[in-house]
Amino acid sequence: MPTTKKKTQVTASPERRRELLDTAAEVFAAQGYNATTVRKIADEAGMLAGSLYYHFDSKESMLDEILSTFLTELWDGYDAVLDAGLGPRETIEALVTESFREIDRHRAAVAIYQKEARHLADQPRFHYLADSQVKFEKAWLGTLERGVTAGVFRADLDVRLTYRFVRDTVWVAASWYRPGGMHSPEEIARQYLSMVLDGIAVRTP
């Protein structure tokens, strides 16, 4: 009897795999996950749709790797800040700076996360998104509360409202930021922090 040959599984080099994921991330960010087809990703990558399946078994797998890679790097940076023993203000400054560095490294992933995380988190494969959000909120609120207690931040500060303001102000930058622009992530963070922590009005004597 004739035997049926299995399709050879092709393993992309790390560089090529990263290129394909970067392409998929840009398409997901621009069109939305549900509206994006494997064919569209393949077209943007300059390959046949069938060829893409040699590297990834589904667009869900691609999205999972995009988001999990972004969040792993984000928490590597955040955990280093939170474990550094900094004061409340210095912690906020370092978290904002690290956030802009992540936007610089993973702009498309941040945009996807903002658009898709809420409904994706209901799926078993993406439960880690909800876990990350809880951890994220705890880190920021804890730092703000610590600053109020220490007298570094105003006693009348609504920490939850402040957290939402800073969070949204920082992460919405993914909608306009482009790597390689005239300002580095650190410079943008410095400007944002100046406005958030010191205001924009001229100080009177």
Side-chain angles (χ1 to χ4, degrees):
M1 294 178 64
T3 57
T4 302
K5 292 183 178 180
K6 290 185 177 180
K7 184 181 290 184
T8 302
Q9 181 67 45
V10 177
T11 301
S13 68
E15 294 78 13
R16 180 56 174 159
R17 189 178 183 86
R18 184 72 259 161
E19 288 174 1
L20 293 173
L21 288 171
D22 287 345
T23 297
E26 291 294 340
V27 179
F28 288 143
Q31 297 192 353
Y33 175 68
N34 288 333
T36 297
T37 63
V38 171
R39 180 179 295 278
K40 177 61 177 175
I41 296 171
D43 286 346
E44 291 295 322
M47 63 196 306
L48 297 175
S51 298
L52 195 58
Y53 283 113
Y54 280 117
H55 307 293
F56 304 95
D57 60 19
S58 65
K59 71 171 187 175
E60 183 182 58
S61 293
M62 300 184 79
L63 180 65
D64 187 8
E65 190 165 340
I66 290 164
L67 292 177
S68 62
T69 298
F70 154 58
L71 288 174
T72 296
E73 290 192 16
L74 175 71
W75 280 108
D76 284 347
Y78 270 27
D79 286 339
V81 170
L82 296 170
D83 292 341
L86 301 173
R89 178 177 176 128
E90 291 75 20
T91 299
I92 291 293
E93 291 172 343
L95 289 175
V96 168
T97 301
E98 188 60 36
S99 298
F100 276 106
R101 288 174 178 151
E102 286 304 312
I103 292 173
D104 181 65
R105 288 190 285 258
H106 298 287
R107 185 204 62 79
V110 173
I112 296 166
Y113 182 86
Q114 289 181 312
K115 295 177 184 176
E116 313 283 359
R118 182 169 296 180
H119 70 266
L120 285 173
D122 293 333
Q123 302 178 27
R125 183 167 189 167
F126 293 98
H127 276 174
Y128 63 86
L129 296 176
D131 295 338
S132 182
Q133 178 58 38
V134 171
K135 185 180 178 183
F136 187 89
E137 184 172 306
K138 182 178 179 181
W140 284 84
L141 288 176
T143 302
L144 290 168
E145 289 167 353
R146 184 161 61 95
V148 171
T149 300
V152 176
F153 302 139
R154 298 198 325 258
D156 64 339
L157 196 69
D158 184 322
V159 293
R160 185 164 293 276
L161 187 61
T162 303
Y163 154 69
R164 289 173 176 168
F165 171 75
V166 175
R167 176 198 64 191
D168 294 348
T169 299
V170 170
W171 291 108
V172 77
S175 66
W176 57 261
Y177 178 83
R178 293 296 179 272
M182 63 183 297
H183 297 299
S184 69
E186 292 78 11
E187 172 60 17
I188 296 174
R190 189 186 69 77
Q191 292 283 351
Y192 268 56
L193 285 163
S194 176
M195 290 183 281
V196 169
L197 295 173
D198 300 320
I200 63 173
V202 175
R203 295 179 182 178
T204 56

